[in-house]
Amino acid sequence: MSKYTNEERTLVKSIVANLTIKRIPDNEIIKEVFNQTNKTISRSGLYNVRQQIKRDSYKWYQTLRQGEYEYIHEFKERINEIMWLQKKHNEIIKNNPNKPEIQQTSLAELHKLNITLSNYFDVAPTILNIGTIEKNDNTISNPQQDKEIIV
């Protein structure tokens, strides 16, 4: 994909990933890449993009596995950010009693934030593995303690 700009490469990877997941045939993916970039991609180029996606995904996955507590920390930071935004929107609603259009806009945003936060809490048990991180050797490690419990 050397004839593509960085932005186009990102777009092509996105197109290929999304259409491959949907089981769209290669010739249709090639057409869609052309429609969105006005540049052609060969079947071997398509194969190379898929391989790059696999390599990138594997590296990302490995990084998450190795930095499990950092990932959990980042997840918690996103939740804190949403809660802070909720607080700000509540303040906007409270401080503008005579401006219904501002209140309505903040209420709509607050509703979206509530849904996002609810979705985060729905996936939290999976991400946090219910408060413990299981290792392949059937031990559980607690970052707050230096000892391991054999299960």
Side-chain angles (χ1 to χ4, degrees):
M1 278 196 339
S2 61
K3 60 184 175 179
Y4 293 92
T5 65
N6 285 337
E7 187 176 298
E8 289 172 329
R9 286 174 197 236
T10 302
L11 176 61
V12 169
K13 283 183 183 179
S14 176
I15 293 167
V16 171
N18 288 327
L19 296 182
T20 299
I21 289 170
K22 294 177 182 176
R23 305 270 189 229
I24 304 298
D26 289 353
N27 60 340
E28 294 296 320
I29 295 172
I30 291 169
K31 286 178 189 175
E32 188 60 29
V33 168
F34 180 78
N35 289 341
Q36 292 194 34
T37 65
N38 289 325
K39 294 183 180 176
T40 58
I41 186 170
S42 64
R43 283 190 185 271
S44 63
L46 186 60
Y47 173 81
N48 291 336
V49 170
R50 285 189 177 123
Q51 293 306 309
Q52 184 62 48
I53 291 169
K54 286 179 184 178
R55 282 190 298 273
D56 292 347
S57 298
Y58 180 76
K59 283 172 58 178
W60 180 75
Y61 173 73
Q62 287 296 87
T63 301
L64 288 180
R65 281 192 62 203
Q66 292 170 355
E68 56 196 341
Y69 298 113
E70 291 85 358
Y71 180 75
I72 292 169
H73 173 76
E74 190 63 30
F75 184 79
K76 181 183 174 292
E77 289 299 311
R78 296 295 68 78
I79 289 174
N80 290 341
E81 181 181 8
I82 291 171
M83 293 171 79
W84 181 83
L85 288 168
Q86 286 177 321
K87 181 179 175 184
K88 290 299 175 187
H89 278 289
N90 279 317
E91 288 174 8
I92 290 170
I93 293 165
K94 181 181 173 185
N95 294 334
N96 291 288
N98 299 325
K99 298 178 181 174
E101 59 279 343
I102 292 175
Q103 286 182 327
Q104 189 172 17
T105 302
S106 270
L107 282 170
E109 289 302 316
L110 189 56
H111 177 71
K112 290 177 189 175
L113 289 169
N114 287 340
I115 291 172
T116 302
L117 189 60
S118 174
N119 290 339
Y120 276 20
F121 283 127
D122 286 346
V123 299
T126 303
I127 290 172
L128 302 176
N129 204 9
I130 316 296
T132 58
I133 307 299
E134 291 189 39
K135 295 185 178 181
N136 290 337
D137 62 357
N138 292 330
T139 62
I140 299 174
S141 175
N142 183 341
Q144 310 250 329
Q145 301 171 346
D146 288 332
K147 55 185 167 180
E148 291 186 334
I149 302 168
I150 306 286
V151 181

